[in-house]
Amino acid sequence: MRMYDIILKKREGGHLAPEEIRFVIEGYTKGEIPDYQMSAFLMAVFFRGMTDEETGVLTQAMAHSGDMVDLSEIQGVKVDKHSTGGVGDKTTLIVAPIAAACGCRVAKMSGRGLGHTGGTVDKMESIPGMRTSLSEKEFVEIVNRTGISVTGQSGNLAPADKKIYALRDVTATVESIPLIASSIMSKKLAAGSDCILLDVKAGNGAFMKTTADAVQLAKKMVAIGEQNGRKTAALITNMDYPLGNKIGNALEVQEAAATLRGMGPEDLTEVCLALAENMLFLAQKGTPAKCRAMAWDAICSGRALEKLAAMVEAQGGDPDYIFHPERFGEAPVKEDVAAPEEGYLQDMNTEGIGISAMMLGAGREKKEDAIDPLAGIVLCKKTGDYVKKGETLAVLYTSEESRLKDAEAKYFESVKIKGEKPKKEPLIYARVTKDGVEEKAD
Ligand code: URA
């Protein structure tokens, strides 16, 4: 078999045989296939796509490229969730403790942020002492003891995805449905949970810009999960504006803690309740209405907040930061961004706002960049809100004054103020299961 022939076949729109796909993944993981050939292959897939069968084989090959985590030592139903990535998306820090407080076992591996999207691991690391690199043994022990652990992706979990994702990131081949589906699902299959809830973001801050594309992606991932014996469902959620009001690592932990005390922003609370309801439903905890009530009760009783604190403590962090998030303090440099005119906040370019937060130090431009845990943005107005000239639209935080000017310019470039009130978009567009697509009415 020759890599050249496989690239050519895909370039011409052909269907690859399972052994050809396995040859590519094994060869690339071992370093036998060079980056330039893999890049050409990825671009061919980007333009020609893959059948469901090809995507399924690709996912399996990537999942088996490294360790398959054994969670059999954990008693009870293991549930996992995964977001396709967005801005202000701190849902894992809220939904995972809710699910654990309702009797599920949450053994979750999360990633770091890159570019305009944030990552749960970076957010957790803003808590002093918090460890996000756990051995499999410790991970399993913490889940058995507290019901929940969120850790970074272990070194040898789906290494093919790690290599391929890094290459996609620099070859403009990220936004491909078969490549995203296989990337996410290979990690989810290798991570070993029984139930998988996917949060597929749609909008200008997501990889899938339209709901139609997000539904396509969700259908593929749900099918892959079910074919591999995992109960899988997806919610298609709005990423045309940031989720919640805080963007940045410590800022997002603060907002997650507030939401777990029942004092979070309305959009974030609603998305988290919907995700928690669906996780509990997959774990067969009852009807959707009962699962929703259980999730809300976990918040109102304080049990979910206690679960988050228990996980933080078990992973070496100071749980007092969860009960008293004001302990994080504020970044030394703070700037109010004033509305240049009066009107409705018409449109937010969510990716642009994520980049502005990154420019303040909340994210990395390059993998090796350090994160400023206190940097970020607090949004005072969001799409649909009315603002007076000079009123504060947002507050920017950073530890380095020199970062402010460009970040502020990026923020301004990303918001539009106009005379008429924009149409309210739904927060949750649809639910995708093995039985089909259920559109959600707002
Ligand atoms: N998240 C992933 O893990 N992989 C992708 O391809 C896109 C988002």
Side-chain angles (χ1 to χ4, degrees), residues 82-85 153 161 165 168 173-176 179-185 187 207 217:
H82 192 92
S83 157
T84 55
Q153 193 176 327
D161 173 63
Y165 193 83
R168 285 168 59 211
T173 50
V174 171
E175 299 93 338
S176 149
L179 295 180
I180 296 178
S182 55
S183 163
I184 291 177
M185 292 310 291
K187 286 178 287 218
F207 292 126
L217 173 63

PDB file of all heavy atoms in Angstrom, residues 82-85 153 161 165 168 173-176 179-185 187 207 217, ligand 1:
ATOM      1  N   HIS A  82     -19.225  16.316  26.084  1.00  0.00           N
ATOM      2  CA  HIS A  82     -18.172  16.964  25.305  1.00  0.00           C
ATOM      3  C   HIS A  82     -18.772  18.103  24.505  1.00  0.00           C
ATOM      4  O   HIS A  82     -19.804  17.949  23.867  1.00  0.00           O
ATOM      5  CB  HIS A  82     -17.501  15.966  24.349  1.00  0.00           C
ATOM      6  CG  HIS A  82     -16.240  16.494  23.747  1.00  0.00           C
ATOM      7  ND1 HIS A  82     -14.998  16.276  24.310  1.00  0.00           N
ATOM      8  CD2 HIS A  82     -16.024  17.259  22.656  1.00  0.00           C
ATOM      9  CE1 HIS A  82     -14.076  16.877  23.582  1.00  0.00           C
ATOM     10  NE2 HIS A  82     -14.680  17.480  22.567  1.00  0.00           N
ATOM     11  N   SER A  83     -18.119  19.237  24.552  1.00  0.00           N
ATOM     12  CA  SER A  83     -18.571  20.377  23.761  1.00  0.00           C
ATOM     13  C   SER A  83     -17.648  20.508  22.555  1.00  0.00           C
ATOM     14  O   SER A  83     -16.443  20.239  22.660  1.00  0.00           O
ATOM     15  CB  SER A  83     -18.495  21.634  24.620  1.00  0.00           C
ATOM     16  OG  SER A  83     -18.417  22.772  23.812  1.00  0.00           O
ATOM     17  N   THR A  84     -18.220  20.938  21.435  1.00  0.00           N
ATOM     18  CA  THR A  84     -17.369  21.103  20.253  1.00  0.00           C
ATOM     19  C   THR A  84     -16.561  22.401  20.336  1.00  0.00           C
ATOM     20  O   THR A  84     -15.761  22.683  19.452  1.00  0.00           O
ATOM     21  CB  THR A  84     -18.200  21.077  18.952  1.00  0.00           C
ATOM     22  OG1 THR A  84     -19.227  22.062  19.051  1.00  0.00           O
ATOM     23  CG2 THR A  84     -18.814  19.715  18.720  1.00  0.00           C
ATOM     24  N   GLY A  85     -16.784  23.192  21.376  1.00  0.00           N
ATOM     25  CA  GLY A  85     -15.916  24.348  21.604  1.00  0.00           C
ATOM     26  C   GLY A  85     -16.594  25.676  21.355  1.00  0.00           C
ATOM     27  O   GLY A  85     -17.284  25.849  20.352  1.00  0.00           O
ATOM     28  N   GLN A 153      -6.326  15.185  29.121  1.00  0.00           N
ATOM     29  CA  GLN A 153      -6.227  13.968  28.303  1.00  0.00           C
ATOM     30  C   GLN A 153      -4.910  13.265  28.621  1.00  0.00           C
ATOM     31  O   GLN A 153      -3.846  13.895  28.531  1.00  0.00           O
ATOM     32  CB  GLN A 153      -6.252  14.388  26.848  1.00  0.00           C
ATOM     33  CG  GLN A 153      -6.467  13.279  25.867  1.00  0.00           C
ATOM     34  CD  GLN A 153      -6.565  13.860  24.452  1.00  0.00           C
ATOM     35  OE1 GLN A 153      -7.050  14.956  24.245  1.00  0.00           O
ATOM     36  NE2 GLN A 153      -6.095  13.112  23.479  1.00  0.00           N
ATOM     37  N   ASP A 161      -5.183  11.291  17.225  1.00  0.00           N
ATOM     38  CA  ASP A 161      -5.947  12.544  17.185  1.00  0.00           C
ATOM     39  C   ASP A 161      -5.070  13.719  17.584  1.00  0.00           C
ATOM     40  O   ASP A 161      -5.142  14.788  16.979  1.00  0.00           O
ATOM     41  CB  ASP A 161      -7.176  12.472  18.104  1.00  0.00           C
ATOM     42  CG  ASP A 161      -7.856  13.831  18.186  1.00  0.00           C
ATOM     43  OD1 ASP A 161      -8.327  14.296  17.137  1.00  0.00           O
ATOM     44  OD2 ASP A 161      -7.868  14.448  19.262  1.00  0.00           O
ATOM     45  N   TYR A 165      -4.839  16.555  15.034  1.00  0.00           N
ATOM     46  CA  TYR A 165      -5.480  17.831  15.362  1.00  0.00           C
ATOM     47  C   TYR A 165      -4.480  18.976  15.241  1.00  0.00           C
ATOM     48  O   TYR A 165      -4.790  20.041  14.707  1.00  0.00           O
ATOM     49  CB  TYR A 165      -6.105  17.793  16.764  1.00  0.00           C
ATOM     50  CG  TYR A 165      -7.024  18.971  16.957  1.00  0.00           C
ATOM     51  CD1 TYR A 165      -8.342  18.947  16.489  1.00  0.00           C
ATOM     52  CD2 TYR A 165      -6.557  20.146  17.521  1.00  0.00           C
ATOM     53  CE1 TYR A 165      -9.163  20.045  16.606  1.00  0.00           C
ATOM     54  CE2 TYR A 165      -7.377  21.256  17.636  1.00  0.00           C
ATOM     55  CZ  TYR A 165      -8.680  21.199  17.186  1.00  0.00           C
ATOM     56  OH  TYR A 165      -9.496  22.286  17.279  1.00  0.00           O
ATOM     57  N   ARG A 168      -4.088  19.695  11.624  1.00  0.00           N
ATOM     58  CA  ARG A 168      -5.287  20.359  11.070  1.00  0.00           C
ATOM     59  C   ARG A 168      -5.305  21.833  11.444  1.00  0.00           C
ATOM     60  O   ARG A 168      -5.714  22.687  10.663  1.00  0.00           O
ATOM     61  CB  ARG A 168      -6.555  19.674  11.596  1.00  0.00           C
ATOM     62  CG  ARG A 168      -6.819  18.328  10.942  1.00  0.00           C
ATOM     63  CD  ARG A 168      -7.894  17.577  11.701  1.00  0.00           C
ATOM     64  NE  ARG A 168      -9.140  18.291  11.770  1.00  0.00           N
ATOM     65  CZ  ARG A 168     -10.005  18.195  12.784  1.00  0.00           C
ATOM     66  NH1 ARG A 168      -9.761  17.398  13.799  1.00  0.00           N
ATOM     67  NH2 ARG A 168     -11.128  18.870  12.759  1.00  0.00           N
ATOM     68  N   THR A 173      -7.719  22.764   8.055  1.00  0.00           N
ATOM     69  CA  THR A 173      -8.573  21.597   7.821  1.00  0.00           C
ATOM     70  C   THR A 173      -9.362  21.219   9.089  1.00  0.00           C
ATOM     71  O   THR A 173      -9.727  20.070   9.270  1.00  0.00           O
ATOM     72  CB  THR A 173      -7.740  20.384   7.334  1.00  0.00           C
ATOM     73  OG1 THR A 173      -6.630  20.209   8.203  1.00  0.00           O
ATOM     74  CG2 THR A 173      -7.247  20.566   5.917  1.00  0.00           C
ATOM     75  N   VAL A 174      -9.622  22.224   9.947  1.00  0.00           N
ATOM     76  CA  VAL A 174     -10.377  21.911  11.169  1.00  0.00           C
ATOM     77  C   VAL A 174     -11.867  21.722  10.858  1.00  0.00           C
ATOM     78  O   VAL A 174     -12.490  20.748  11.286  1.00  0.00           O
ATOM     79  CB  VAL A 174     -10.185  23.006  12.253  1.00  0.00           C
ATOM     80  CG1 VAL A 174     -11.136  22.792  13.419  1.00  0.00           C
ATOM     81  CG2 VAL A 174      -8.747  22.981  12.775  1.00  0.00           C
ATOM     82  N   GLU A 175     -12.453  22.628  10.084  1.00  0.00           N
ATOM     83  CA  GLU A 175     -13.928  22.659   9.949  1.00  0.00           C
ATOM     84  C   GLU A 175     -14.456  21.623   8.955  1.00  0.00           C
ATOM     85  O   GLU A 175     -15.095  21.956   7.960  1.00  0.00           O
ATOM     86  CB  GLU A 175     -14.387  24.068   9.526  1.00  0.00           C
ATOM     87  CG  GLU A 175     -14.042  25.150  10.517  1.00  0.00           C
ATOM     88  CD  GLU A 175     -12.720  25.834  10.207  1.00  0.00           C
ATOM     89  OE1 GLU A 175     -11.871  25.239   9.515  1.00  0.00           O
ATOM     90  OE2 GLU A 175     -12.542  26.975  10.656  1.00  0.00           O
ATOM     91  N   SER A 176     -14.180  20.368   9.230  1.00  0.00           N
ATOM     92  CA  SER A 176     -14.623  19.280   8.356  1.00  0.00           C
ATOM     93  C   SER A 176     -15.442  18.312   9.209  1.00  0.00           C
ATOM     94  O   SER A 176     -14.958  17.853  10.258  1.00  0.00           O
ATOM     95  CB  SER A 176     -13.385  18.581   7.786  1.00  0.00           C
ATOM     96  OG  SER A 176     -13.639  17.227   7.552  1.00  0.00           O
ATOM     97  N   LEU A 179     -13.820  14.910   9.952  1.00  0.00           N
ATOM     98  CA  LEU A 179     -12.600  15.048  10.765  1.00  0.00           C
ATOM     99  C   LEU A 179     -12.934  15.463  12.200  1.00  0.00           C
ATOM    100  O   LEU A 179     -12.318  14.982  13.154  1.00  0.00           O
ATOM    101  CB  LEU A 179     -11.620  16.032  10.112  1.00  0.00           C
ATOM    102  CG  LEU A 179     -11.053  15.595   8.760  1.00  0.00           C
ATOM    103  CD1 LEU A 179     -10.094  16.647   8.203  1.00  0.00           C
ATOM    104  CD2 LEU A 179     -10.338  14.238   8.843  1.00  0.00           C
ATOM    105  N   ILE A 180     -13.924  16.333  12.381  1.00  0.00           N
ATOM    106  CA  ILE A 180     -14.307  16.716  13.756  1.00  0.00           C
ATOM    107  C   ILE A 180     -14.968  15.514  14.440  1.00  0.00           C
ATOM    108  O   ILE A 180     -14.667  15.196  15.597  1.00  0.00           O
ATOM    109  CB  ILE A 180     -15.268  17.930  13.768  1.00  0.00           C
ATOM    110  CG1 ILE A 180     -14.578  19.180  13.217  1.00  0.00           C
ATOM    111  CG2 ILE A 180     -15.764  18.204  15.191  1.00  0.00           C
ATOM    112  CD1 ILE A 180     -15.461  20.426  13.148  1.00  0.00           C
ATOM    113  N   ALA A 181     -15.876  14.843  13.724  1.00  0.00           N
ATOM    114  CA  ALA A 181     -16.593  13.707  14.324  1.00  0.00           C
ATOM    115  C   ALA A 181     -15.603  12.634  14.788  1.00  0.00           C
ATOM    116  O   ALA A 181     -15.694  12.125  15.909  1.00  0.00           O
ATOM    117  CB  ALA A 181     -17.593  13.125  13.329  1.00  0.00           C
ATOM    118  N   SER A 182     -14.631  12.296  13.939  1.00  0.00           N
ATOM    119  CA  SER A 182     -13.696  11.230  14.317  1.00  0.00           C
ATOM    120  C   SER A 182     -12.763  11.698  15.428  1.00  0.00           C
ATOM    121  O   SER A 182     -12.406  10.915  16.321  1.00  0.00           O
ATOM    122  CB  SER A 182     -12.894  10.752  13.096  1.00  0.00           C
ATOM    123  OG  SER A 182     -12.255  11.851  12.487  1.00  0.00           O
ATOM    124  N   SER A 183     -12.400  12.985  15.413  1.00  0.00           N
ATOM    125  CA  SER A 183     -11.514  13.515  16.454  1.00  0.00           C
ATOM    126  C   SER A 183     -12.202  13.422  17.822  1.00  0.00           C
ATOM    127  O   SER A 183     -11.635  12.895  18.793  1.00  0.00           O
ATOM    128  CB  SER A 183     -11.175  14.976  16.109  1.00  0.00           C
ATOM    129  OG  SER A 183     -10.658  15.656  17.211  1.00  0.00           O
ATOM    130  N   ILE A 184     -13.414  13.925  17.903  1.00  0.00           N
ATOM    131  CA  ILE A 184     -14.109  13.934  19.201  1.00  0.00           C
ATOM    132  C   ILE A 184     -14.467  12.510  19.629  1.00  0.00           C
ATOM    133  O   ILE A 184     -14.202  12.097  20.766  1.00  0.00           O
ATOM    134  CB  ILE A 184     -15.369  14.828  19.128  1.00  0.00           C
ATOM    135  CG1 ILE A 184     -14.936  16.286  18.993  1.00  0.00           C
ATOM    136  CG2 ILE A 184     -16.274  14.624  20.353  1.00  0.00           C
ATOM    137  CD1 ILE A 184     -16.058  17.289  18.839  1.00  0.00           C
ATOM    138  N   MET A 185     -15.043  11.744  18.716  1.00  0.00           N
ATOM    139  CA  MET A 185     -15.553  10.434  19.130  1.00  0.00           C
ATOM    140  C   MET A 185     -14.421   9.432  19.409  1.00  0.00           C
ATOM    141  O   MET A 185     -14.577   8.534  20.226  1.00  0.00           O
ATOM    142  CB  MET A 185     -16.549   9.886  18.108  1.00  0.00           C
ATOM    143  CG  MET A 185     -17.848  10.687  18.041  1.00  0.00           C
ATOM    144  SD  MET A 185     -18.637  10.993  19.646  1.00  0.00           S
ATOM    145  CE  MET A 185     -19.190   9.348  20.089  1.00  0.00           C
ATOM    146  N   LYS A 187     -11.730  10.130  20.995  1.00  0.00           N
ATOM    147  CA  LYS A 187     -11.348  10.395  22.394  1.00  0.00           C
ATOM    148  C   LYS A 187     -12.436   9.889  23.343  1.00  0.00           C
ATOM    149  O   LYS A 187     -12.148   9.350  24.409  1.00  0.00           O
ATOM    150  CB  LYS A 187     -11.144  11.900  22.607  1.00  0.00           C
ATOM    151  CG  LYS A 187      -9.851  12.409  21.990  1.00  0.00           C
ATOM    152  CD  LYS A 187      -9.678  13.896  22.166  1.00  0.00           C
ATOM    153  CE  LYS A 187     -10.589  14.685  21.282  1.00  0.00           C
ATOM    154  NZ  LYS A 187     -10.106  15.889  20.695  1.00  0.00           N
ATOM    155  N   PHE A 207     -17.163  26.072  15.400  1.00  0.00           N
ATOM    156  CA  PHE A 207     -16.597  25.550  14.150  1.00  0.00           C
ATOM    157  C   PHE A 207     -17.709  25.343  13.130  1.00  0.00           C
ATOM    158  O   PHE A 207     -17.497  25.498  11.936  1.00  0.00           O
ATOM    159  CB  PHE A 207     -15.860  24.231  14.397  1.00  0.00           C
ATOM    160  CG  PHE A 207     -14.612  24.409  15.225  1.00  0.00           C
ATOM    161  CD1 PHE A 207     -14.399  23.685  16.377  1.00  0.00           C
ATOM    162  CD2 PHE A 207     -13.644  25.329  14.847  1.00  0.00           C
ATOM    163  CE1 PHE A 207     -13.254  23.853  17.144  1.00  0.00           C
ATOM    164  CE2 PHE A 207     -12.494  25.529  15.599  1.00  0.00           C
ATOM    165  CZ  PHE A 207     -12.300  24.780  16.757  1.00  0.00           C
ATOM    166  N   LEU A 217     -23.184  17.154  11.839  1.00  0.00           N
ATOM    167  CA  LEU A 217     -22.075  16.694  12.683  1.00  0.00           C
ATOM    168  C   LEU A 217     -22.613  15.863  13.847  1.00  0.00           C
ATOM    169  O   LEU A 217     -22.088  14.782  14.159  1.00  0.00           O
ATOM    170  CB  LEU A 217     -21.281  17.909  13.198  1.00  0.00           C
ATOM    171  CG  LEU A 217     -20.195  17.619  14.237  1.00  0.00           C
ATOM    172  CD1 LEU A 217     -19.105  16.722  13.663  1.00  0.00           C
ATOM    173  CD2 LEU A 217     -19.559  18.932  14.746  1.00  0.00           C
TER     174      LEU A 217
HETATM  175  N1  URA B   1     -12.799  19.425  19.279  1.00  0.00           N
HETATM  176  C1  URA B   1     -12.055  18.313  19.046  1.00  0.00           C
HETATM  177  O1  URA B   1     -11.693  17.603  19.977  1.00  0.00           O
HETATM  178  N2  URA B   1     -11.752  18.013  17.768  1.00  0.00           N
HETATM  179  C2  URA B   1     -12.143  18.755  16.724  1.00  0.00           C
HETATM  180  O2  URA B   1     -11.850  18.401  15.607  1.00  0.00           O
HETATM  181  C3  URA B   1     -12.920  19.904  16.981  1.00  0.00           C
HETATM  182  C4  URA B   1     -13.239  20.216  18.274  1.00  0.00           C
END
